[in-house]
Amino acid sequence: MEKAYKNTGYFMLLLIPAVLAGFYVTYFSHLSDFSEGFTALTNGKITIFHHLHATLATLWILLLVAQPLLIRYGKFKIHKTIGKTTYLLFPLLIISFILLILNILKSANPIRAYGVISNTLMLILFYSFAVNNKKYTPIHMRYMIATAFSFLGPPIGRFGVFIMGMQPKIINNSVYIIVYLILTGLILLDKKHGKNFKPFILVFAVWVIRQIVYNII
């Protein structure tokens, strides 16, 4: 693993408290009685489907944490084996996103589906690039890092709305700024070490397009 990215797994760990804090009000606080819970996107009751979606998303986040740590500590065989499991995990994750989108489209606020749709498309795009470059570790790693951003927005958005009382438009645009700052830092880091930062440029451009569309609709 590139020296500059040796702590990637530890940084990915930050996704866990972010998810716990962001989904506390609408999900985790109802673990004892889901009949009292509601989903933030549809205002419908929490169902077994939501548990399945949460489980698959959690597994992906844990994978994002484990894989770079396995590389750092030389567990290449285990890393490769876990990587193969994504050929099953990823399609299941995408199916759960699609089902979530269909539920939102049937709700009173179908426009909320945009965030999930764009997240899903970006996951497919960046994961496809990562798999296509699995023999080119530096590029593969950067696109896998890019998939993590799709799991950053939902918890931050919910934390801003349900905990801090912010307007959805404000907190969602704040998420874009956070992503841009992280990507800018990664690009500058790669430039400093003479590495290929083009994947992050592409990721940056995709997020800019996503924000433009979000603010138009």
Side-chain angles (χ1 to χ4, degrees), residues 25-184:
V25 171
T26 59
Y27 189 81
F28 294 111
S29 64
H30 302 286
L31 282 174
S32 61
D33 186 1
F34 279 104
S35 65
E36 297 298 324
F38 67 95
T39 61
L41 293 175
T42 65
N43 288 323
K45 293 297 182 181
I46 295 173
T47 66
I48 188 65
F49 156 71
H50 296 101
H51 302 330
L52 177 62
H53 175 69
T55 299
L56 292 169
T58 298
L59 288 174
W60 192 263
I61 291 173
L62 292 177
L63 180 143
L64 291 174
V65 172
Q67 288 295 74
L69 290 177
L70 289 171
I71 289 294
R72 172 174 178 164
Y73 294 109
K75 307 296 182 180
F76 304 110
K77 186 175 181 179
I78 300 176
H79 173 90
K80 187 175 181 179
T81 299
I82 292 179
K84 290 180 179 179
T85 67
T86 65
Y87 298 145
L88 174 61
L89 174 60
F90 188 77
L92 291 175
L93 177 64
I94 295 303
I95 290 172
S96 76
F97 271 110
I98 292 173
L99 293 175
L100 180 59
I101 290 168
L102 293 177
N103 281 334
I104 301 171
L105 290 175
K106 292 185 293 185
S107 71
N109 296 288
I111 193 65
R112 293 178 178 177
Y114 174 72
V116 186
I117 292 172
S118 55
N119 257 348
T120 304
L121 291 176
M122 289 195 302
L123 274 172
I124 294 172
L125 178 66
F126 299 140
Y127 176 73
S128 298
F129 286 162
V131 171
N132 189 55
N133 290 280
K134 62 182 179 180
K135 293 184 178 179
Y136 305 95
T137 303
I139 297 179
H140 170 80
M141 176 188 67
R142 283 162 175 78
Y143 282 124
M144 285 302 293
I145 289 174
T147 68
F149 292 116
S150 292
F151 296 90
L152 190 62
I156 293 178
R158 284 161 178 76
F159 185 85
V161 171
F162 292 103
I163 303 298
M164 301 182 66
M166 298 175 66
Q167 292 295 320
K169 202 84 170 181
I170 295 175
I171 187 60
N172 286 332
N173 277 296
S174 297
V175 170
Y176 289 110
I177 294 174
I178 292 172
V179 171
Y180 297 151
L181 289 173
I182 296 174
L183 284 171
T184 299

